[in-house]
Structure formats: C-alpha cells, structure tokens
Amino acid sequence: MSDTRRRVKVYTLNEDRQWDDRGTGHVSSTYVEELKGMSLLVRAESDGSLLLESKINPNTAYQKQQDTLIVWSEAENYDLALSFQEKAGCDEIWEKICQVQGKDPSVEVTQDLIDESEEERFEEMPETSHLIDLPTCELSKLEEIADLVTSVLSSPIRREKLALALENEGYIKKLLQLFQACENLENTEGLHHLYEIIRGILFLNKATLFEEDEKFLSEVFAQLTDEATDDDKRRELVNFFKEFCAFSQTLQPQNRDAFFKTLAKLGILPALEIVMGMDDLQVRSAATDIFSYLVEFSPSMVREFVMQEAQQSDDDVLLINVVIEQMICDTDPELGGAVQLMGLLRTLIDPENMLATTNKTEKSEFLNFFYNHCMHVLTAPLLTNTSEDKCEKDNMLGSNKTNTICPDNYQTAQLLALILELLTFCVEHHTYHIKNYIMNKDLLRRVLVLMNSKHTFLALCALRFMRRIIGLKDEFYNRYITKGNLFEPVINALLDNGTRYNLLNSAVIELFEFIRVEDIKSLTAHIVENFYKALESIEYVQTFKGLKTKYEQEKDRQNQKLNSVPSILRSNRFRRDAKALEEDEEMWFNEDDDEEGKAVITPVEKSKTEDDFPDSYEKFMETKKAKESEDKENLPKRASSGGFKFTFSHSPSATNGTNSTNSKSVVSQTTPASSNVSSSKTTNLATSVTATKGNLVGLVDYPDDEEEDEEEESSPRKRPRLGS
C-alpha cells in the first residue's frame, strides 16, 4: 500500500472525559514490522518525533465522524481521535482502515459497538467478581488454558474479562512456576502450550499484566550467559526475549518505556554483550534484533552503559566494540547482518539524538569515548587492507592495475564500503574529532588507495569520503590535501577511466566542478600548478579550463595587490602574515572545542619544510623582482625537449610522519633520456623545486612562460597517466 500523509491533530481522552491535544503532525498508514501489521503513524510536524503508533486491529471499532474525524478505543479505555485538516485525507485513511478490516468504506462504524446500557452494566461490575472461570493452573490443564486464551481474543468484552481474572488471581506467577517445571522436566509439549498462553496474554495489551517477576527474569539472564547452558536452551531463551521485545511494540509509549527500563535495570545490556560474541549464528542474530529494539528505544541509555563500562573493562570487550567486530566478521556473503549493525552504530554516534544538559554534554563525553576506545577497531580493516605490506603482497601476486592494493574479494570490498559510509557520516557530523583523527592517521591517503579497486562501488565510496571533506571548505583540510598531494590518485583514476562516460567519471568531474564553483583558491592553485598539463586535453567539460581561468584571475589580482604596496613594507608584512598563519594552526590544535569537548588525540606536528621555504606568493615575487638572476638559477632546468621536469612525490615527513602507501612519481611531459643533467641531479633538483612550490601560498609566474608555451607541442590523444 502506498504511504500517504495528511495533516492531523492527535487527541486522547483523559480521566475527566475531556479531549487532550497531543500535537499536530502528519499521519500515514504503513506496514510496521515490529507490530506485524498495517498501522497508523503520526509524526510531529515540528521535529518529526512519533506522536502516535497504533496497529489497525481487525477487531477494533473505528468511527468516522463529521467527515474529518476518526475515533477509536484501545486497551484500558484508552480513547484516541484524529482530526484531519482536509476531508480527502480523512477519507483516504478511512479506506485503509476499512481495507484492513474487510469493510465497505461507506460505513461510518467498522464494528458493532457495545450497547450503552450493556457498557454501563459492564463498568458497574466489581473487579473482584470472577468474570471468567479460569482452569486450575497445573500441567494437565495447559492445553485447556491455551484454548481459552485464544478464544477470547476476538471479543473486546471477553478480553477485558480475561485480563481482570488473570490480574485478580495472580495467574501470571503461577504460569511462570509451570514454566520452570516444564523446563526441569523437559516437557516440550507443555512449553509450546505456555508459549501460546503467554503470546495471547500479551495480545490483551493490558499494562498491569506486564509487571515483570524480577527474580524470574534475573534467573533467565543468568541462564542466558552461563557457559554451562546448552546451546538449544540458550537459543530458546534469547528467542523468548526477542519475542518479548517484539510484543512490547504493541504497547502504548508509556508502557513500552517502563518495559525497556525494567529490562535495562535487570541487566539486558551486559547479557547481550556476552551473547552477541557467541559462535551460534541464530543466537547472535536474535541478540542483534534485541539490541536494535534497545537502541531504537533509547540510544542515550546504551551510550551511558558503554561509557560506564569503559571505566571497568578493556577495549576489546566493550559492547560497542563487540558490535563493530560482529559487523566486521559477518559471514553472510551479502553482509545483511553487517548492514543492520552499521545502522545501529550510526544511530549511536549521531549527535542529533545526543542530549545536552546544564551539567553535562553527552555529545562531548561520548565522542571522546568513541574516538579513544572504538575508532581504532572500526578502521582496522581499512588500514589493514591499504597497508604497505598488503601492497607488496598483492604486487607479488600480480595485478592488472598499477598499484592496485585493495582487495579483489567482493565481500571484503562490501565491508570496506560500509566502513567508509560510517566514516563519511563522521566527517559530516563530528567536525573536530574526525578531523584530528584523519590528520594524525593520514587516513585520507589510505582511503584513496581504494580508488584503484576493480569494484567501482568501492572506488566511489572512497571518492565520496574525499568529496565530503572538500565540501566542508576547511582550510586545515585543504592544506592537508595539498601538502600530501592527495589529488594524484583521484586524477589517475580519471585518466585510467579514459573516455568512458560512467558514474566514476561524473563523480570525479563533479568534485573538481565544486572546487571551481566555490572558488576554493588553495585547491585551485594546487591543481592547476601540478596537474593542468595532464588535464588540459579534457575538453568535453569546461571544468579544468575554468579552474585555469580562476587561477589566472587570482594571479592577476595578487599582482595588482602587490604593486599597490610600497616595496619597503612588503618583506616585513608578508613575513608577519606567514608567521600568523602558523600560529593560527598551532592554536587550533591546542584549543578546546566548544561543541565537542577537548582534544583527545595528540596534535599533528608541523612539517619542517614549512620553515625551509617561503610561504607566500608576494614574498616570492618580491625576491624575484629584487634578485631576478638568482631566481633564474633556482628555476628547474630546461629539458632538451623544451618542457619542464617536475617530480611530485610526498615524503612521509610531510604527512605527520605517516608512511605513504599511495606515493607516486608524477612526470610532466619530459622523459629522463632527454635531460642534459644526470638522473641523480635531476631528481634532487626536481625535489627541491617541488618542495619550494608546494609551500607557496600564491601562484608562481615564471619569466619565460610565454616562450615555453610556444615551444609546447599539441596535447597527445591518449591522456598521460600521472605516474612513472
């Protein structure tokens, strides 16, 4: 059925027989898995919170009044009403209700109502009177009890009478005693009857019948986690709790809250932590379903538990790390369980559902905990599959793609895609913590290794991760990218893709188009200075020529700005600006974050190359104008073919001391054989020039650019790959 939404007000009838307004929202009729049926859902128009979740019961009497009102009663005289803004919306929801109950939408009442006098007589009956005679609670009567409970479910009056009888005679506790007896006697038939009985009692939807026997439940938890418990019994116990949680979804919100709080108090989370790590696949699956109910009920409750647990346990036994490990170790070829667990993790790390009070900030506390105790577990498969050792091993085995070090295994590729999805979510929502983590671990370089994957979906996930980072337009990220030469694997992927018009091509072009449109100057300068020779042949889009135009416009603007400043002021001024830039960076790593708490990871050390070379275009231009002859000596020597030779390589020292797994040599339009200088001298000179260029904030205009342009030959038809 289609999911339709209409604007409504939700009303409930209070004890004084007055209608209370519960809020305004949008109603939909949709199938709810937890309720096992079509249900009415109302979400608040202000914040999207759930105002109403009510299963369309086949036996409930719904009334349509005044063309825009639907009224019905649920358990315990809980009356509800939906007041529609539009008649059309009321008609459509009414049709859905009638369709579920098999009624003609032309009727105004879907079920026969209780006669008023009969209802009054029923309400006047004392609760102590035995409205239904219950069989004796003993093993031999279990089948009779099960038949009785099943038979009353079709009648609202008999359901109410049965609920009163069960409550008045303390019948539930007697049934639990029979359950223990059947367990001890291994009476399978009796256990099946008890299952039908308890299932029927739950369908009565009577809150007072849900008051837990804490001693009984504590014993069940103990058996669930006891190593001596045999596998079959443990499987039955965990399935019992799973069914219990599923049935709780039929309760009204206040009763459901009480139910889960009771489970939490009795130790459901420590029990799940043990059970989720067991070998039995069915047990783990059921435990995951229970965990999902708890996360949906209260992410804060789960977060509070794991933070308290961290003070007493090692990282490898923490509940969240157990969840992460189960996601990583999912044996399903399609990773169905891993996808479910990934969704739960995303809910737990989502700042949008974290609480902030005057005394504490859950967001700050939990994110500090997560990045200290859990992030290394989440990123372990990614770092392992993009390590240098993995690279050497894969190269020994052979590959049809240069430097392809990511796994060819489809299941592993799927897992890495899930991890990248979570990390991308972190980039969007955990600004400070994830930034510190990425820079210290040189994480983006490791992620971009996956651009070489034969699985396009994985390469796209890696590209999406970088796109989210660039989308923040954060200069600290931009400096990290340019200093690390991290556009190179992206451009190589574009060139390897050739002229194929596919999703990878479009995604790469969109990334560079974003940089052009948003006019991110530092990235534009880096791309044009280092990669334009390889990209200028791409003419089916104007993106790269547009970047070159932006680059030249900025260069002209800087020249005009420089010429307007008296020469006597230039050196000191620009030296002060460069120093201020370094001080700002140092302050950022040392300051506390107002929103997310203090720094939790060791700050990144600055590269020494920043102090060895000038940091601003203006300073370079001043030096160039004052000492033109010295500048010419520092320029790269001409190759005999008329082009310049640059080697864009990134040393580990330039990326926070982390070994590079994706470092490549990029040669621009010159072959080593054509150079008049020895290879060793050429390498040293090129490296020196690269280091100088890589740290210039402005844009360098060499004095003989025009002459070089005239000598250049036309672009080759086949795009050169950035790498030797």
Side-chain angles (χ1 to χ4, degrees):
M1 296 182 185
S2 60
D3 182 12
T4 57
R5 296 179 181 273
R6 291 291 184 270
R7 193 165 186 264
V8 296
K9 279 188 175 292
V10 180
Y11 293 95
T12 58
L13 195 65
N14 61 29
E15 295 179 354
D16 298 327
R17 308 299 291 176
Q18 300 294 321
W19 290 102
D20 292 333
D21 186 349
R22 294 299 184 184
T24 302
H26 292 85
V27 63
S28 63
S29 62
T30 186
Y31 184 85
V32 176
E33 181 64 33
E34 293 83 358
L35 302 182
K36 305 297 181 185
M38 290 296 296
S39 305
L40 298 177
L41 303 180
V42 180
R43 293 194 176 275
E45 64 180 2
S46 58
D47 58 6
S49 60
L50 198 62
L51 295 179
L52 176 69
E53 183 180 63
S54 175
K55 180 180 178 181
I56 302 176
N57 197 308
N59 299 312
T60 297
Y62 292 86
Q63 298 181 62
K64 181 182 177 186
Q65 302 175 3
Q66 303 173 8
D67 291 335
T68 58
L69 198 65
I70 297 178
V71 182
W72 73 100
S73 297
E74 294 195 353
E76 300 186 78
N77 297 322
Y78 188 73
D79 290 0
L80 290 160
L82 294 179
S83 177
F84 289 77
Q85 180 174 318
E86 300 178 9
K87 178 180 181 298
C90 182
D91 291 342
E92 192 162 358
I93 293 299
W94 182 251
E95 288 180 8
K96 300 293 184 183
I97 294 172
C98 292
Q99 186 174 357
V100 171
Q101 295 197 343
K103 302 293 183 179
D104 188 333
S106 62
V107 302
E108 293 186 351
V109 180
T110 62
Q111 302 288 337
D112 292 333
L113 296 177
I114 300 173
D115 180 76
E116 185 67 25
S117 59
E118 181 183 353
E119 184 175 6
E120 290 175 357
R121 289 197 304 272
F122 174 69
E123 289 179 350
E124 291 171 359
M125 291 181 181
E127 291 188 357
T128 55
S129 63
H130 293 280
L131 303 176
I132 286 184
D133 291 329
L134 294 172
T136 307
C137 194
E138 56 187 38
L139 289 176
S140 61
K141 300 287 187 178
L142 284 177
E143 184 176 3
E144 183 180 348
I145 299 170
D147 291 340
L148 172 63
V149 172
T150 303
S151 67
V152 304
L153 294 178
S154 60
S155 169
I157 294 178
R158 287 175 59 79
R159 284 206 308 267
E160 187 68 21
K161 290 180 179 179
L162 176 61
L164 289 173
L166 291 170
E167 184 179 351
N168 292 334
E169 297 185 15
Y171 213 75
I172 303 294
K173 290 186 177 180
K174 297 177 184 178
L175 289 172
L176 293 177
Q177 293 172 0
L178 288 184
F179 174 78
Q180 295 281 14
C182 289
E183 283 277 292
N184 295 333
L185 296 173
E186 297 184 354
N187 184 345
T188 305
E189 184 179 2
L191 289 172
H192 282 300
H193 288 316
L194 279 169
Y195 168 78
E196 294 296 331
I197 294 169
I198 298 299
R199 182 172 178 270
I201 291 175
L202 291 172
F203 274 129
L204 295 177
N205 201 13
K206 186 80 170 177
T208 53
L209 298 179
F210 278 82
E211 297 296 330
E212 308 306 341
D213 184 334
E214 295 193 4
K215 181 180 178 181
F216 166 73
L217 287 177
S218 298
E219 291 176 358
V220 175
F221 282 134
Q223 292 182 49
L224 190 63
T225 57
D226 189 350
E227 293 183 359
T229 303
D230 63 74
D231 292 342
D232 290 338
K233 186 170 185 179
R234 180 177 288 109
R235 196 176 299 118
E236 291 177 355
L237 290 172
V238 75
N239 281 327
F240 163 75
F241 276 114
K242 176 185 172 182
E243 290 286 338
F244 212 9
C245 291
F247 280 124
S248 73
Q249 302 304 300
T250 65
L251 297 173
Q252 290 302 319
Q254 62 271 26
N255 297 332
R256 192 185 314 162
D257 290 354
F259 168 76
F260 280 113
K261 287 177 181 177
T262 300
L263 288 185
K265 183 176 70 173
L266 294 176
I268 184 69
L269 287 170
L272 286 178
E273 187 174 70
I274 296 174
V275 174
M276 290 182 75
M278 292 183 173
D279 295 332
D280 191 305
L281 181 60
Q282 293 185 13
V283 169
R284 289 206 313 267
S285 177
T288 299
D289 290 338
I290 297 171
F291 184 65
S292 68
Y293 284 120
L294 293 170
V295 172
E296 181 183 353
F297 163 66
S298 176
S300 294
M301 180 185 74
V302 178
R303 286 191 287 259
E304 183 179 2
F305 168 77
V306 297
M307 286 191 288
Q308 292 176 353
E309 181 188 32
Q311 301 173 5
Q312 306 168 357
S313 307
D314 296 331
D315 285 0
D316 57 347
V317 296
L318 297 178
L319 176 59
I320 289 191
N321 286 345
V322 171
V323 172
I324 294 174
E325 288 164 3
Q326 290 303 312
M327 182 184 83
I328 293 171
C329 300
D330 188 8
T331 57
D332 180 5
E334 297 299 325
L335 296 184
V339 172
Q340 181 184 13
L341 291 170
M342 187 272 290
L344 296 175
L345 283 172
R346 183 164 57 186
T347 300
L348 290 174
I349 65 175
D350 186 357
E352 295 299 321
N353 61 47
M354 295 182 185
L355 305 175
T357 64
T358 54
N359 297 326
K360 66 174 184 178
T361 303
E362 184 185 19
K363 177 179 179 181
S364 173
E365 292 181 0
F366 182 76
L367 291 182
N368 284 345
F369 157 80
F370 182 78
Y371 280 84
N372 272 323
H373 298 280
C374 307
M375 183 58 96
H376 67 283
V377 182
L378 177 63
T379 57
L382 174 63
L383 298 177
T384 299
N385 283 282
T386 57
S387 66
E388 288 185 339
D389 293 340
K390 179 73 174 174
C391 176
E392 293 174 1
K393 180 179 178 182
D394 284 359
N395 286 339
M396 289 177 62
L397 294 175
S399 174
N400 59 353
K401 215 173 189 182
T402 306
N403 289 331
T404 300
I405 70 174
C406 55
D408 287 337
N409 180 280
Y410 176 73
Q411 188 170 354
T412 304
Q414 276 192 309
L415 174 62
L416 295 180
L418 286 179
I419 294 173
L420 279 176
E421 185 175 341
L422 271 179
L423 291 175
T424 303
F425 179 85
C426 292
V427 168
E428 293 176 313
H429 295 86
H430 302 170
T431 52
Y432 172 77
H433 290 83
I434 189 64
K435 182 191 298 183
N436 217 351
Y437 191 86
I438 288 173
M439 292 185 175
N440 279 281
K441 296 294 184 183
D442 199 14
L443 189 63
L444 179 55
R445 179 182 304 280
R446 304 293 284 271
V447 168
L448 290 176
V449 167
L450 302 177
M451 292 294 297
N452 293 313
S453 173
K454 75 175 186 180
H455 302 287
T456 304
F457 70 87
L458 183 57
L460 288 169
C461 286
L463 184 64
R464 188 181 304 118
F465 181 71
M466 185 179 193
R467 174 63 176 81
R468 290 294 183 274
I469 290 176
I470 292 176
L472 296 175
K473 297 189 285 188
D474 185 317
E475 275 305 309
F476 289 105
Y477 272 135
N478 294 345
R479 286 167 60 83
Y480 163 68
I481 290 171
T482 56
K483 286 165 62 178
N485 198 27
L486 298 182
F487 277 111
E488 183 177 310
V490 177
I491 293 175
N492 278 337
L494 177 64
L495 299 179
D496 285 339
N497 192 61
T499 58
R500 292 189 295 271
Y501 181 69
N502 52 23
L503 192 56
L504 180 63
N505 175 279
S506 298
V508 174
I509 295 296
E510 190 278 333
L511 182 145
F512 289 106
E513 181 67 11
F514 175 82
I515 295 172
R516 185 192 69 81
V517 171
E518 295 297 324
D519 195 17
I520 305 177
K521 294 180 174 55
S522 57
L523 298 184
T524 300
H526 175 75
I527 294 165
V528 173
E529 290 177 352
N530 296 330
F531 304 111
Y532 188 71
K533 292 294 183 184
L535 298 171
E536 63 179 345
S537 63
I538 300 178
E539 297 181 342
Y540 55 88
V541 291
Q542 298 302 307
T543 297
F544 300 107
K545 290 187 176 181
L547 285 171
K548 181 71 177 300
T549 301
K550 293 274 189 183
Y551 170 88
E552 292 171 343
Q553 290 172 348
E554 177 64 14
K555 185 162 62 172
D556 292 341
R557 192 184 69 83
Q558 292 290 349
N559 285 334
Q560 294 174 5
K561 180 179 178 182
L562 182 64
N563 293 333
S564 66
V565 177
S567 59
I568 194 171
L569 300 177
R570 291 171 189 162
S571 297
N572 290 336
R573 193 189 91 178
F574 293 120
R575 187 176 297 114
R576 181 172 68 252
D577 289 347
K579 181 179 179 182
L581 184 62
E582 299 299 336
E583 289 177 352
D584 288 345
E585 183 173 357
E586 188 70 25
M587 286 176 62
W588 181 84
F589 280 112
N590 291 333
E591 70 182 359
D592 288 348
D593 187 90
D594 293 336
E595 293 185 359
E596 299 181 21
K598 62 183 180 180
V600 295
I601 304 174
T602 306
V604 182
E605 294 183 0
K606 293 185 297 181
S607 172
K608 293 182 179 179
T609 59
E610 292 183 44
D611 299 325
D612 295 337
F613 303 100
D615 268 348
S616 68
Y617 162 74
E618 295 87 346
K619 182 175 179 182
F620 179 82
M621 291 298 295
E622 173 64 20
T623 304
K624 174 184 157 197
K625 288 186 176 182
K627 300 180 180 180
E628 183 175 354
S629 60
E630 291 181 14
D631 285 343
K632 290 182 178 179
E633 292 178 4
N634 289 333
L635 288 175
K637 294 185 180 296
R638 277 287 188 91
S640 59
S641 62
F644 286 123
K645 178 180 177 67
F646 296 99
T647 302
F648 299 100
S649 62
H650 189 61
S651 65
S653 64
T655 49
N656 317 323
T658 307
N659 290 331
S660 168
T661 63
N662 200 33
S663 178
K664 300 178 184 177
S665 176
V666 183
V667 182
S668 176
Q669 305 225 349
T670 302
T671 59
S674 65
S675 177
N676 295 326
V677 193
S678 65
S679 60
S680 61
K681 290 183 179 179
T682 302
T683 302
N684 292 336
L685 177 60
T687 303
S688 174
V689 174
T690 301
T692 305
K693 285 190 66 183
N695 287 276
L696 294 178
V697 174
L699 311 174
V700 180
D701 182 13
Y702 294 107
D704 51 353
D705 274 350
E706 294 181 0
E707 179 183 350
E708 178 190 359
D709 291 340
E710 294 175 359
E711 295 176 358
E712 287 180 352
E713 297 178 2
S714 60
S715 301
R717 293 183 180 178
K718 183 177 180 181
R719 297 179 193 164
R721 193 177 194 278
L722 298 179
S724 56

